[in-house]
């Protein structure tokens, strides 16, 4: 009889769920943390992309209101830098290129200027395996030059 009771006790011990919550947490918690970090990285990339789009639009618009290519180049680079700064974007590296060929079309014809902003966003502070240390984002915007505005040489 004693033997049957000890076997029954042993079976109850095997079926007990003591400690299973700790095991489940140890399995699920790292996956949840990785998911959260991936969501933060994705959010940072999306919001940075929108802000870089805005900087490219600001740069293109600034270039389109100037009469000479030289003035347009310097003003649009300053506008892009100011826009990125105002929006709190800290790029590891930034490049702004402006196509001012639309400023050389004759008065009366429609011309456009195009600004391209390239920004490398730092992701290394997330410390997540599989996420690159940085992501390079590119945005291009075009603005129309007033067809009846005088242009410089």
């Amino acid at each position: 009889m004693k033997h049957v009771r000890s076997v029954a006790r042993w079976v109850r011990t095997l079926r007990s769920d003591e400690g299973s919550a700790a095991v489940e947490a140890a399995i699920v918690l790292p996956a949840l943390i990785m998911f959260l970090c991936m969501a933060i990285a994705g959010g940072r990339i999306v919001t940075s992309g929108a802000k870089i789009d805005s900087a490219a639009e600001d740069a293109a618009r600034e270039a389109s209101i100037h009469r000479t290519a030289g003035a347009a180049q310097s003003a649009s680079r300053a506008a892009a830098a100011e826009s990125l700064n105002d929006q709190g974007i800290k790029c590891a590296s930034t490049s702004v290129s402006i196509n001012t060929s639309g400023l050389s079309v004759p008065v009366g014809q429609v011309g456009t200027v195009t600004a391209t902003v390239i920004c490398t966003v730092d992701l290394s502070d997330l410390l997540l395996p599989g996420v690159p240390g940085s992501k390079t984002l590119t945005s291009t915007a075009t603005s129309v030059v007033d067809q009846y505005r005088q242009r410089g040489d």
Side-chain angles (χ1 to χ4, degrees):
M1 194 67 150
K2 271 186 161 185
H3 182 48
V4 172
R5 277 189 235 159
S6 65
V7 169
R9 191 176 314 142
W10 183 72
V11 169
R12 273 192 308 246
T13 303
L14 285 178
R15 290 186 180 170
S16 170
D17 63 355
E18 290 177 19
S20 65
V23 172
E24 290 171 4
I27 292 171
V28 173
L29 195 58
L32 287 176
I33 291 172
M34 279 188 60
F35 177 75
L36 178 65
C37 289
M38 292 296 279
I40 291 170
R44 186 177 297 176
I45 289 170
V46 168
T47 57
S48 296
K51 292 175 180 181
I52 293 166
D53 289 344
S54 178
E57 291 167 6
D58 291 346
R61 179 66 188 136
E62 188 66 29
S64 73
I65 62 175
H66 284 80
R67 294 183 180 174
T68 64
Q73 293 276 346
S74 62
S76 61
R77 282 189 172 81
E82 184 179 347
S83 179
L84 290 171
N85 187 41
D86 288 348
Q87 296 181 66
I89 295 290
K90 297 196 178 17
C91 300
S93 66
T94 306
S95 171
V96 180
S97 61
I98 312 297
N99 178 352
T100 57
S101 62
L103 294 175
S104 63
V105 299
V107 173
Q109 292 183 9
V110 176
T112 60
V113 293
T114 304
T116 301
V117 177
I118 301 170
C119 173
T120 303
V121 179
D122 186 26
L123 301 173
S124 63
D125 58 334
L126 295 178
L127 301 175
L128 182 66
V131 173
S134 62
K135 174 89 172 147
T136 301
L137 302 174
T138 303
S139 181
T140 301
T142 301
S143 185
V144 176
V145 177
D146 184 1
Q147 67 181 354
Y148 297 111
R149 184 165 189 205
Q150 178 183 2
R151 298 181 178 116
D153 296 325

